[in-house]
Amino acid sequence: EIDKFADVADARGVGLVAPEGIGSSFHAPHCCGPALNEKIDDVSFIDGIVAALVAEGLAEPHSISVSGFSNGGFMASHLVDPASKSRTQWAAVATAAGHEYGLTRADPLPVSIHHCRNDAMVNTVAAAHAALRRPVSSSGEDVAEHSESLLDLLLRHPSRHV
């Protein structure tokens, strides 16, 4: 699957790094596999890759984004959370079929979250409920009424991209 991303990255002149975790898993707080069970320090692993790319002049330190699918999505969103203690200054995060929802960032960050309707590991509706447990805007204002209407839309149209 990464070949699809590699083709687009090459066509646009964008660098793409695709680390693979232990047993094809990463140690994110809520998901899954051998890396979580063995408490692998994947934050340091990924920070080390980024630091090496920056040191070699292959990446700009303030333009690095992170993305992931399923358990990789959990890892990607964990990396941008200050609680992860990542040393990388992430510019954006995009996740598919997996995301940590208890993020503690105080500063704004571009985020794209996509859930797959038929994902065997991550339930779309359950993920939406988790995301809406404590909805607040970047200014700390409660946005529950807007979030509930989003949840209603997801429940009525679970296959629709929102």
Side-chain angles (χ1 to χ4, degrees):
E1 289 295 313
I2 198 65
D3 292 340
K4 295 174 187 175
F5 290 96
D7 293 342
V8 172
D10 287 345
R12 292 190 165 57
V14 174
L16 174 67
V17 176
E20 185 169 328
I22 300 295
S24 297
S25 70
F26 292 102
H27 179 191
H30 295 99
C31 185
C32 9
L36 175 67
N37 296 337
E38 296 175 31
K39 296 180 174 48
I40 302 298
D41 187 359
D42 284 319
V43 172
S44 292
F45 168 60
I46 293 170
D47 278 347
I49 293 169
V50 171
L53 292 168
V54 170
E56 292 292 322
L58 299 172
E60 294 291 328
H62 299 291
S63 64
I64 299 168
S65 298
V66 62
S67 182
F69 176 78
S70 194
N71 175 236
F74 279 88
M75 188 66 210
S77 56
H78 175 57
L79 285 166
V80 302
D81 186 355
S84 77
K85 303 208 182 326
S86 173
R87 297 180 315 272
T88 303
Q89 294 180 356
W90 301 103
V93 61
T95 64
H99 188 81
E100 292 287 342
Y101 290 102
L103 304 183
T104 60
R105 282 189 79 92
D107 57 320
L109 179 78
V111 173
S112 172
I113 302 172
H114 174 84
H115 284 285
C116 300
R117 180 178 181 191
N118 295 326
D119 190 312
M121 297 293 284
V122 181
N123 180 294
T124 305
V125 173
H129 278 286
L132 301 176
R133 277 187 301 218
R134 210 180 45 147
V136 293
S137 70
S138 59
S139 65
E141 169 184 9
D142 187 354
V143 292
E145 69 269 7
H146 304 294
S147 299
E148 289 304 319
S149 62
L150 172 60
L151 180 59
D152 290 340
L153 178 65
L154 284 170
L155 291 172
R156 283 193 310 273
H157 305 283
S159 63
R160 180 175 288 173
H161 299 285
V162 179

